[in-house]
Structures are given as C-alpha cells and as structure tokens.
Amino acid sequence: MTIRGSCECRAVTFIVEGPLRPTWACHCTQCRKTSGHYWASTEVPNARLKMIKDDGLKWYRSSEQARRGFCVACGSSLFWQGDGEDTISIGAGTLDDLSSDATKIEKHIFMADKGAYYDVTDGVPQSDGW
Ligand SMILES: [Zn+2]
Ligand SMILES: [Zn+2]
C-alpha cells in the first residue's frame, strides 16, 4: 500500500509505504500549539517515508527529545520525530487518500494536557500520558 501525502500548499510532498500504524490523537500542549488543536498522527519506520519534494520542509526543535517538521510556506504540521528513533509520526490529515479506515484513531494520549474547550466522546481509549 502506497499513499501520497502533502502539506496544504504542496511545497512538501511525500510517499508513505504502508501498513500504517493506527492514528493516535495527542492532546499535549506542544501538539495543541503547533496545530491549533490536538494533533492526530499515524507512524511508519523512517525507511518507509520517501520525500518527493521538501522545498518547504523545516524542522523545529520542540523539546529536548523531539523535533517537528512543518511547511514554511503554508504552516502545515506534518511530522514529529523523537531523537534517535527509527520511526516517524505523520499527521494523519496530511495523507491524500483517507478512504481507508486502517488509520482510524486508536487512542487519545496526553489527555492530562487537554483544553477544557472540547470533549472527547468517541469511546476510544484515553490516557494521561503515552
Ligand atoms: Zn505547504
Ligand atoms: Zn503531543
């Protein structure tokens, strides 16, 4: 299974080789700030993400343990990567083909940081940390 993905303006485009991990929705403060809400991502081993165009890709060091990839032209939140990890998280909404439910949200993480302005009532497991 090969899925294409991109940022909103397509200055960053990529191909992901499946299978994709089910999506985790992260409600931590960093995800909230960088995305404007909570951030939902799937994940693959690094080797299965192939960049087609990365003109707009910039990495932001969001903590001592991780960096986030975003598009400098349109601001899309694209990637999250822990230092030294052999996997990369990819914003689920950046994929072009969302017709498969294989990436459906499997859990909500860092619920302890969640804002009070919304509720999570989809019945999917929730945790205060990972
Ligand atoms: Zn862009
Ligand atoms: Zn987060």
Side-chain angles (χ1 to χ4, degrees):
M1 176 178 65
T2 299
I3 299 179
R4 301 182 79 90
S6 78
C7 64
E8 221 278 310
C9 76
R10 299 198 162 264
V12 183
T13 57
F14 55 88
I15 288 176
V16 186
E17 197 62 51
L20 303 173
R21 191 203 65 193
T23 295
W24 293 358
C26 185
H27 301 258
C28 81
T29 305
Q30 287 163 5
C31 284
R32 175 157 47 82
K33 292 283 187 182
T34 55
S35 73
H37 193 29
Y38 62 84
W39 194 62
S41 63
T42 180
E43 185 184 272
V44 292
N46 294 337
R48 290 207 260 117
L49 170 66
K50 199 168 100 190
M51 299 307 300
I52 303 299
K53 189 176 165 198
D54 62 359
D55 300 2
L57 182 61
K58 184 163 182 183
W59 290 95
Y60 164 67
R61 175 144 293 281
S62 55
S63 75
E64 282 175 21
Q65 295 86 34
R67 60 180 189 160
R68 289 168 187 267
F70 67 99
C71 175
V72 289
C74 71
S76 297
S77 298
L78 297 161
F79 309 118
W80 179 94
Q81 189 165 46
D83 291 347
E85 288 184 14
D86 60 359
T87 57
I88 186 160
S89 297
I90 302 166
T94 67
L95 301 175
D96 290 350
D97 181 358
L98 296 174
S99 60
S100 165
D101 67 359
T103 55
K104 205 162 182 177
I105 291 177
E106 173 183 62
K107 62 175 174 175
H108 292 276
I109 60 175
F110 289 95
M111 288 293 284
D113 294 347
K114 184 183 86 60
Y117 69 93
Y118 62 97
D119 296 314
V120 177
T121 56
D122 57 7
V124 171
Q126 305 181 3
S127 65
D128 279 345
W130 287 105

